[in-house]
Amino acid sequence: MLGLKLPTDPRWVNIVEKNIDEILTDHAYCEQKAASTAISLIVSFPEYTELTKEMIALSREEMGHFKMVHDLILERGNTLGRDRKDFYVIELLKFFPKGGSRTTQLIHRLLYAALIEARSCERFRLLSEELEDKKLADFYHRLMVSEAGHYTMFLKFARQYGDRKEVDEKWQELLKYEAKIMKNLGKGESVHG
């Protein structure tokens, strides 16, 4: 369903289990960045009314997820750590050239967002199936369903606002590029890394 070209190595879950507090901090910031992305799309492309409405709802939902993760961190007797660079996203954002028409810029941003959500969904599925902590496993199952909806929404908007054939070609190329990035990641204590 997600179309990812390289699945996450299941051993990544072992890294997560040994570093769950680090993962939760990274995850909280991923949710905050997802909310920021939604707000940025509203600010950059306000003329797309349907997109704006969906991004308003998404920014609220993502901040709700941030609160859920933050609450988990506090429940575990910890405080939210500092944000770290997301090397996955940094590398991913190098794929499409900068510039182009406003529509091209929008399509590229929507495709990036779709792929980040798809990878998050795939990772959350792994956590929901493999974590020994059943409370955390259930938590990640609920988020997995949400991330899948976000992935399909971003891809739908890219196809709606761009030429379908061209968007699908860009999507396939982006998926191939992302697989190359993932070959060097999956060994760290982060949601995407």
Side-chain angles (χ1 to χ4, degrees), residues 146-158:
S146 179
E147 300 298 318
H150 301 163
Y151 145 72
T152 57
M153 175 187 62
F154 282 119
L155 196 53
K156 175 193 78 115
F157 277 128

Side-chain angles (χ1 to χ4, degrees), residues 156-167:
K156 175 193 78 115
F157 277 128
R159 289 171 172 157
Q160 177 179 331
Y161 298 135
D163 175 75
R164 173 68 186 253
K165 184 174 186 267
E166 185 179 320
V167 167

Side-chain angles (χ1 to χ4, degrees), residues 125-163:
R125 180 191 57 76
L126 263 178
L127 294 176
S128 74
E129 293 172 353
E130 303 295 333
L131 281 176
E132 289 183 22
D133 181 327
K134 290 305 164 202
K135 181 179 178 182
L136 276 175
D138 290 344
F139 174 74
Y140 278 107
H141 178 77
R142 289 191 307 276
L143 289 178
M144 172 196 69
V145 173
S146 179
E147 300 298 318
H150 301 163
Y151 145 72
T152 57
M153 175 187 62
F154 282 119
L155 196 53
K156 175 193 78 115
F157 277 128
R159 289 171 172 157
Q160 177 179 331
Y161 298 135
D163 175 75

Side-chain angles (χ1 to χ4, degrees), residues 50-99:
E50 186 181 356
L51 176 68
T52 297
K53 288 179 180 179
E54 288 294 332
M55 293 303 103
I56 291 168
L58 181 64
S59 64
R60 288 180 179 153
E61 182 181 348
E62 297 289 17
M63 284 310 295
H65 293 170
F66 174 87
K67 181 183 182 328
M68 290 166 58
V69 178
H70 186 250
D71 288 347
L72 257 178
I73 291 168
L74 296 178
E75 261 180 49
R76 297 173 65 83
N78 297 312
T79 57
L80 181 63
R82 295 184 58 86
D83 188 16
R84 298 171 297 195
K85 290 183 179 182
D86 188 331
F87 293 105
Y88 169 80
V89 173
I90 290 168
E91 287 304 310
L92 194 64
L93 294 179
K94 293 177 181 177
F95 182 70
F96 291 122
K98 303 287 183 228

